[in-house]
Amino acid sequence: QVQLAESGGGLVQAGGSLRLSCAASGSIFNINAMGWYRQAPGNQRESVAVITAGGSTNYADSVKGRFTASRDNAKNTVYLQMNSLKPEDTAVYYCNAEVTDIEVGYLDVWGQGTLVTVSS
């Protein structure tokens, strides 16, 4: 099967930066869109940034101009550079990938989540 491993979360002061990484591994034929989602306590999970295999990106209005998604297709890895962080960015951040698995075909895969805490 396919797994996603996230890293890079942590505690940062408002105005600071963090970079999240998410690496896919397993029986991967190819990966289509990859994305970052987040869920704050008491809130629903929301889309933060999505990046296609060709590099096109789509961002939530709340993070435009502050967050940048990128990917390294050779490494099956997606990144999220987060600048000018605000306390309202505090959430568990999840990586998602639309994967064609060699054995079973299409999979919608989620990472385990990484906590980002922004202090004021």
Side-chain angles (χ1 to χ4, degrees):
Q1 294 273 326
V2 177
Q3 300 82 35
L4 299 179
E6 299 143 334
S7 61
L11 174 64
V12 64
Q13 289 188 332
S17 298
L18 282 175
R19 188 189 194 212
L20 306 182
S21 299
C22 172
S25 63
S27 52
I28 299 169
F29 178 72
N30 71 346
I31 302 177
N32 298 311
M34 301 185 80
W36 291 96
Y37 296 74
R38 67 186 181 187
Q39 187 167 16
N43 290 357
Q44 291 186 334
R45 190 174 297 187
E46 62 176 357
S47 175
V48 175
V50 176
I51 182 167
T52 67
S56 297
T57 52
N58 188 45
Y59 297 97
D61 288 343
S62 59
V63 307
K64 283 180 181 177
R66 300 188 298 122
F67 290 11
T68 302
S70 60
R71 62 190 284 174
D72 184 334
N73 291 331
K75 296 181 179 180
N76 291 331
T77 299
V78 64
Y79 307 95
L80 185 67
Q81 178 66 43
M82 305 185 293
N83 299 329
S84 302
L85 282 161
K86 305 176 180 179
E88 51 263 43
D89 294 318
T90 295
V92 176
Y93 284 71
Y94 297 91
C95 176
N96 174 263
E98 297 178 350
V99 178
T100 301
D101 183 282
I102 292 172
E103 299 173 357
V104 299
Y106 176 81
L107 292 173
D108 186 34
V109 186
W110 290 90
Q112 79 284 357
T114 185
L115 177 63
V116 172
T117 304
V118 184
S119 63
S120 57

